[in-house]
Each structure stands twice: as C-alpha cells, then as structure tokens.
Amino acid sequence: EPEVTQTPSHQVTQMGQEVILRCVPISNHLYFYWYRQILGQKVEFLVSFYNNEISEKSEIFDDQFSVERPDGSNFTLKIRSTKLEDSAMYFCASTQATTHEQYFGPGTRLTVT
Amino acid sequence: GNSVTQMEGPVTLSEEAFLTINCTYTATGYPSLFWYVQYPGEGLQLLLKATKADDKGSNKGFEATYRKETTSFHLEKGSVQVSDSAVYFCALIPNTNAGKSTFGDGTTLTVKP
C-alpha cells in the first residue's frame, strides 16, 4: 500500500540554523500539507500546497517557514532560522482531493538546542 | 472557524471495559470526520472515518457515528485491550477547497491489565 515517507526521522539542530524537512507524498496525490505537534499537545495545521503554490497557511507559518515541491515528488518544509520553540514533531500529509482523508507520514522530530 | 472538542483525559480503564471518548465539532456545512490513533513515539494512524451524516465508521472493534443533530462523533469500543493504550485524536476536514484538518486536543487512554 502506498504511503507518505518523511526524512529524517529525527533532526537535532542549533538555534539559528536552517533545517529542511523532507517528505515524499503518495504519487497520485495533488494536495500536500504540513502539520506540527509540540510534545504533548494537539496537532496544528501549518500550510497547504496545491498546484505548486501555497493555498492556505496558519499564523504559525511566518516568514521563517517556506515550502517547496522541487522535483515533482519531494515536498519540503524549510525553517530558515530555527528557534527553541520550533522543537516539535512535523507531519507531512497528502490527499487526492481536499475533502478526502489525508495520509500522514511518520513524522520528523525536530529538536532545537 | 472550525473546531473540535474532545473529552478531557487522561482516561484509565481496566482491560475489557467499555470505552467512550466524546468528540463534538463546530464547522460550516458537512465536514468529514476522523479518528486518529497515535501510539507512543509514533505518527498518526487513521482509525476510522465518516463522510456524511449517520455514517458509522468502524475498525478494529472501534466505532463512531456521525451525528449531525448533535454535531458529535463519539468513539466507542465494547472491550478494550492493553494494546489500545494510545492517544486518540478526533479531527475534521471541511467540505471546502481548503481541506486542512482541524484536530482536537487528543485523549490519552491507558488500559490496565
């Protein structure tokens, strides 16, 4: 069964460094998402992406964040200058249609020290 | 905006006990509703879903019925096992082009032998 994959599974970085989190969505899906979950808290929406552009973003998704689909298969989340409060689990998701279930990847645990 | 409210946890039950985790939602129109399960240290797994009023989603002995009149999607299981210990998230996807998932706070279930 096709699945969403994410790399790395765990990323440790120093405050102020740039990180890129990578996702490979399911191949025939058209809509892509990033969510984050701070330890012990709820899952929060960051951004949705369709047709090579952002379709919606939350207030969390400020100028330090960007997304890209560089080659038609990968979907990346970049944080330009990480802060301690960016430490969280980041989940990528994809779907065929916006009202259909979203398929989540296993997550990348980002630790900012 | 859209929101999901779950019963507060944590919930501790003995093996073979009956489980109910309440979930109510606020959304315009008729969203699709989901329950996800997150085992310790792992990502989100779709447990069950319902896409229209009166639909019943079921999987692995868990059930939830989409109740439009009470805007609810309560999760139930007749006889829990120790292996059901996890965090359970209720979520919705609106019936619009936005398509982002809105999650509840999560309910931690611990089942004791």
Side-chain angles (χ1 to χ4, degrees):
Chain A
E1 188 176 329
E3 57 184 19
V4 177
T5 59
Q6 290 185 242
T7 54
S9 56
H10 191 189
Q11 173 92 47
V12 181
T13 189
Q14 290 191 325
M15 200 165 51
Q17 295 297 304
E18 174 184 286
V19 293
I20 298 176
L21 310 182
R22 301 180 194 281
C23 168
V24 179
I26 294 173
S27 61
N28 62 344
H29 285 185
L30 302 174
Y31 300 83
F32 313 109
Y33 306 82
W34 283 101
Y35 295 84
R36 80 168 186 193
Q37 183 185 29
I38 294 171
L39 187 63
Q41 298 186 24
K42 70 162 55 172
V43 178
E44 301 172 289
F45 167 77
L46 291 178
V47 66
S48 57
F49 192 85
Y50 169 71
N51 202 25
N52 279 322
E53 59 183 30
I54 291 173
S55 44
E56 187 174 357
K57 59 184 181 180
S58 72
E59 57 193 28
I60 303 168
F61 194 89
D62 61 22
D63 292 344
Q64 293 301 309
F65 291 87
S66 62
V67 289
E68 200 176 37
R69 189 156 160 80
D71 55 15
S73 62
N74 289 283
F75 178 50
T76 62
L77 174 70
K78 182 194 291 186
I79 310 175
R80 268 181 264 283
S81 177
T82 50
K83 309 186 200 64
L84 294 176
E85 54 265 35
D86 293 327
S87 295
M89 181 76 94
Y90 288 81
F91 292 106
C92 173
S94 69
T95 186
Q96 285 182 315
T98 55
T99 55
H100 290 193
E101 68 189 78
Q102 294 172 8
Y103 291 79
F104 283 81
T108 293
R109 180 166 298 285
L110 176 65
T111 303
V112 182
T113 61
Chain B
N2 301 323
S3 67
V4 175
T5 302
Q6 284 182 237
M7 68 183 284
E8 292 184 15
V11 174
T12 302
L13 295 173
S14 297
E15 207 163 23
E16 299 183 5
F18 184 85
L19 169 70
T20 300
I21 301 178
N22 289 340
C23 171
T24 57
Y25 67 89
T26 302
T28 51
Y30 302 99
S32 296
L33 302 173
F34 304 86
W35 277 100
Y36 288 89
V37 59
Q38 186 177 36
Y39 297 102
E42 296 187 12
L44 296 167
Q45 297 178 27
L46 178 66
L47 182 59
L48 52 84
K49 66 178 181 180
T51 57
K52 60 183 188 297
D54 300 325
D55 265 3
K56 179 187 279 190
S58 61
N59 185 27
K60 299 180 183 179
F62 291 90
E63 292 182 340
T65 301
Y66 189 142
R67 300 282 187 207
K68 174 171 155 297
E69 63 276 13
T70 53
T71 61
S72 65
F73 193 55
H74 305 320
L75 183 68
E76 296 182 337
K77 186 174 185 184
S79 176
V80 293
Q81 306 300 312
V82 172
S83 56
D84 294 326
S85 298
V87 182
Y88 292 82
F89 291 94
C90 185
L92 69 82
I93 294 178
N95 191 18
T96 66
N97 288 331
K100 67 180 185 186
S101 293
T102 298
F103 285 82
D105 287 342
T107 301
T108 301
L109 171 66
T110 302
V111 181
K112 295 187 181 299

